[in-house]
Amino acid sequence: MNGYFPSIYASPIPTQYRMTLTVGEHSARHIRRIARMHLENWELQHLTDTVELALTELIANVIRHVPDSRCTLLLLKQQTGVRAEVTDAYGQLLPAPAKLDRESERGRGLLLLDALVDRWGVSPTAAGGKAVWFECTNSLIQGSNPL
C-alpha cells in the first residue's frame, strides 16, 4: 500500500491567480510559464497554446503603450474554460482591431487576439485605467468534429 493519499487538510486548488508587476523584456516568458502551470492544475492543458499567445500579446501592449509598464494579471478558472485579464492604470482604451497596411510591422496584436480567443474586450476600471480581457472555452474541443 504505497499509494498516494491526499491529505484531508490540503486546501483545494485555487481557481484564480493574481499578480501585480512591472513588465519588461522577459516578462511574457515568465507569465506564459505561470499560465501553463495553472492551466495544467485546472486540467485545461488543451487551452495552453492559445492562452499563452494571447497573454503574450496583452503583455506586449503594456510594454509598448503603458508609460510605467505596470499591470495586474488575473487568471480565472471558469466552468467553461478560462478568463485572463491584464489591467493597467493607463486610461486610454485600445481601439478595436482594424485593417492595417500589409507592410506594417505593428498593430496586429488585437487582430490576432480576435482570431485566437472566443471572446475579448476592454473595460474601464474604477481607478481610471483599463482591463483588457479574454476568454477561452472548451467549446472548440467539445464541439469539434472528428476526421
Side-chain angles (χ1 to χ4, degrees):
M1 293 273 307
N2 289 333
Y4 171 73
F5 297 98
S7 168
I8 60 170
Y9 301 110
S11 61
I13 295 172
T15 58
Q16 74 174 20
Y17 173 80
R18 182 182 310 267
M19 172 176 64
T20 300
L21 70 158
T22 301
V23 291
E25 181 181 339
H26 301 289
S27 298
R29 177 174 36 131
H30 299 298
I31 290 169
R32 286 192 301 268
R33 187 177 303 140
I34 290 166
R36 189 178 319 123
M37 178 193 67
H38 285 286
L39 291 169
E40 185 175 311
N41 287 341
W42 297 334
E43 298 181 357
L44 295 170
Q45 299 93 319
H46 57 279
L47 299 175
T48 300
D49 291 341
T50 302
V51 170
E52 285 183 1
L53 186 52
L55 279 173
T56 299
E57 290 301 323
L58 296 186
I59 296 304
N61 282 343
V62 171
I63 293 168
R64 202 171 286 126
H65 301 294
V66 176
D68 65 0
S69 296
R70 291 192 53 78
C71 67
T72 299
L73 167 69
L74 172 67
L75 298 173
L76 180 63
K77 180 183 181 210
Q78 297 181 314
Q79 188 172 1
T80 59
V82 66
R83 177 182 175 106
E85 293 181 10
V86 176
T87 305
D88 62 64
Y90 192 54
Q92 180 180 351
L93 294 179
L94 298 173
K99 287 190 174 188
L100 298 172
D101 176 14
R102 287 183 171 194
E103 302 301 317
S104 176
E105 294 182 13
R106 289 188 169 194
R108 289 181 170 75
L110 293 178
L111 289 170
L112 183 58
L113 185 67
D114 195 48
L116 285 172
V117 301
D118 296 300
R119 295 179 356 170
W120 74 275
V122 181
S123 305
T125 64
K130 69 179 171 303
V132 183
W133 58 269
F134 67 84
E135 294 178 351
C136 293
T137 66
N138 294 319
S139 61
L140 293 177
I141 301 300
Q142 294 170 348
S144 62
N145 294 327
L147 298 176

